[in-house]
């Protein structure tokens, strides 16, 4: 065997050749390492999946040391500059950029699946007036699975396409309904004349006095680019949730709800909300050194900094930072931008952050843009979940077609008591 790992098990003296494929060994190959015939075999122990590939995937590539991100081989910088979000969503789902005809059909399908059942308004109205918009979105997307009981059968390509159109189409509508509910404002129905991002802006901001909402071109493009940057990111926490939950064969609405719930956490997609709260908390550049000192003393983390995979500048953060100026030219300069810039400057010179390779991630600057667009922090994770739905669905479809995938079921190292006999209530100490 040329590409192999030769391992001697000192417990038995036996030597094994373990094949290496694509830089990995198969964890199940370790099962043959046994000390007796009752031994179930050696396992790997990898809490938080620090060094375990759970799948083969052709969708997204990240080189964390070099700060590289590709979707289907295309560098994120090129996509952010030249493509639209719907083109990128198609690329993620089908593997190639669409032809002009395919793009027209794809955009038509997404646009014509933006409506939701009228009953959605009723359960949206059941939420408390100050319910978090992300909680409402998670609940709403799980709830719409009740309208599509047929969605569980997913081995037919046309059927999967239908769920894909529906989910990408309806997420902005559900998100906007959640936002308008929080404000106590009437829901705005989708406008089929507008782009994906433009329609979302319309559903968020249209007032009843306007016959037709015309989005600012700069803000519409900025939102579209942010959607491109957030569309997929290989096997992160929420994508892993999507794959793991969907591996049981559940419908994709329920699986997307689970993925969105994973995204909601402050260590993941909730970080953009946490960044803005942090910047507001810091308030002025003079308070940055004190804040950094507290972080280094272990009192919390610098939100929007650090990444499991990037040990270099997150390429998405670079694009967002550049875009911020264009957005602020259209809106008003964010009073928090100087705080963010100075915080980044100081952190990138500080030994604590340098040695740990902690750089700004995509969420460090995105919140400032959303805020400038007039959106409250509760909408930030929601604006992450909308485009990430395309990535989750691409990963879901890839998983369904992968003959090696089964229901996800990790193993454990049992640390509880040995077998013991039941104690009657009166006999318990
Ligand atoms: N601020 C201060 N210290 C940090 C930060 C941070 N933001 N991130 C990591 N560290 C430190 C840890 O304390 C640890 O230090 P130690 O070695 O002295 O114990 C070291 O850096 C390594 O951190 P881990 O938590 O082991 O790294 P992990 O890969 O598990 O975590 C994560 C990655 C969750 C993103 C982390 O960097 C973090 O909490 N960042 C802040 C939240 C955030 O911005 N999340 C968004 C990520 S991007 C996304 O999901 C879209």
């Amino acid at each position: 065997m040329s590409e192999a790992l030769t391992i001697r098990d000192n417990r038995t003296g036996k030597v094994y050749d373990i094949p290496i494929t694509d830089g990995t060994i198969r964890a199940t190959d370790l099962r043959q390492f046994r000390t007796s015939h009752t031994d179930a075999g050696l396992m790997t122990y990898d809490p938080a999946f620090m060094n375990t590939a759970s799948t083969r995937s052709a969708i997204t590539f990240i080189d964390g040391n070099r700060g590289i991100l590709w979707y289907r081989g295309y560098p994120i910088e090129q996509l952010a500059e030249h493509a639209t979000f719907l083109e990128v969503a198609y690329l993620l789902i089908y593997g190639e950029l669409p032809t002009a005809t395919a793009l027209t059909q794809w955009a038509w399908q997404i646009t014509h699946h933006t409506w939701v059942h009228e009953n959605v308004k009723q359960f949206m109205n059941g939420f408390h007036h100050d319910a978090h918009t992300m909680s409402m979105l998670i609940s709403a997307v799980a709830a719409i699975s009740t309208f599509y009981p047929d969605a569980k059968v997913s081995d037919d390509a046309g059927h999967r396409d239908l769920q894909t159109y529906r989910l990408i189409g309806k997420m902005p509508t559900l998100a906007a309904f959640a936002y308008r509910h929080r404000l106590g404002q009437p829901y705005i129905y989708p406008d089929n004349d507008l782009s994906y991002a433009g329609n979302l802006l319309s559903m968020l901001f249209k007032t009843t006095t306007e016959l037709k909402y015309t989005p600012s071109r700069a803000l519409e493009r900025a939102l579209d680019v942010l959607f491109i940057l957030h569309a997929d990111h290989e096997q992160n926490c929420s994508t892993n949730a999507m794959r793991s939950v969907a591996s049981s064969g559940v419908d994709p609405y329920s699986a997307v709800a689970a993925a969105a719930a994973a995204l909601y956490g402050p260590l993941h997609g909730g970080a953009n909300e946490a960044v803005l709260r942090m910047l507001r908390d810091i308030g002025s550049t003079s308070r940055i050194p004190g804040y950094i000192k507290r972080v280094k003393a272990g009192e919390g983390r610098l939100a929007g900094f650090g990444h499991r995979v990037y040990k270099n500048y997150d390429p998405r953060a670079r694009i967002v930072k550049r875009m911020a100026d264009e957005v602020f030219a259209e809106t008003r300069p964010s009073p928090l931008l100087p705080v963010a810039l100075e915080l980044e400057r100081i952190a990138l010179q500080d030994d604590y952050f340098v040695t740990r390779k902690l750089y700004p991630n995509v969420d460090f600057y995105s919140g400032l843009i959303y805020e400038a667009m007039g959106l409250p922090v509760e909408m930030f994770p929601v604006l992450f979940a909308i485009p990430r739905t395309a990535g989750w669905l691409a990963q879901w479809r890839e998983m369904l077609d992968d003959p090696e995938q089964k229901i996800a079921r990790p193993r454990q190292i049992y640390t509880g008591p040995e077998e013991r006999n039941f104690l009657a209530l009166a006999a318990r100490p």
Side-chain angles (χ1 to χ4, degrees), residues 266-269 271 295 300-308 311 316 352-353 356 358 361-363 384:
L267 296 186
H268 191 14
V295 167
R301 290 190 164 197
L302 206 54
F305 254 72
H307 198 273
R308 170 63 60 79
K311 301 301 167 198
R316 303 168 299 171
Y352 176 95
F353 296 92
R356 288 171 180 77
L358 300 170
N361 59 50
V362 66
D363 284 328
F384 195 152

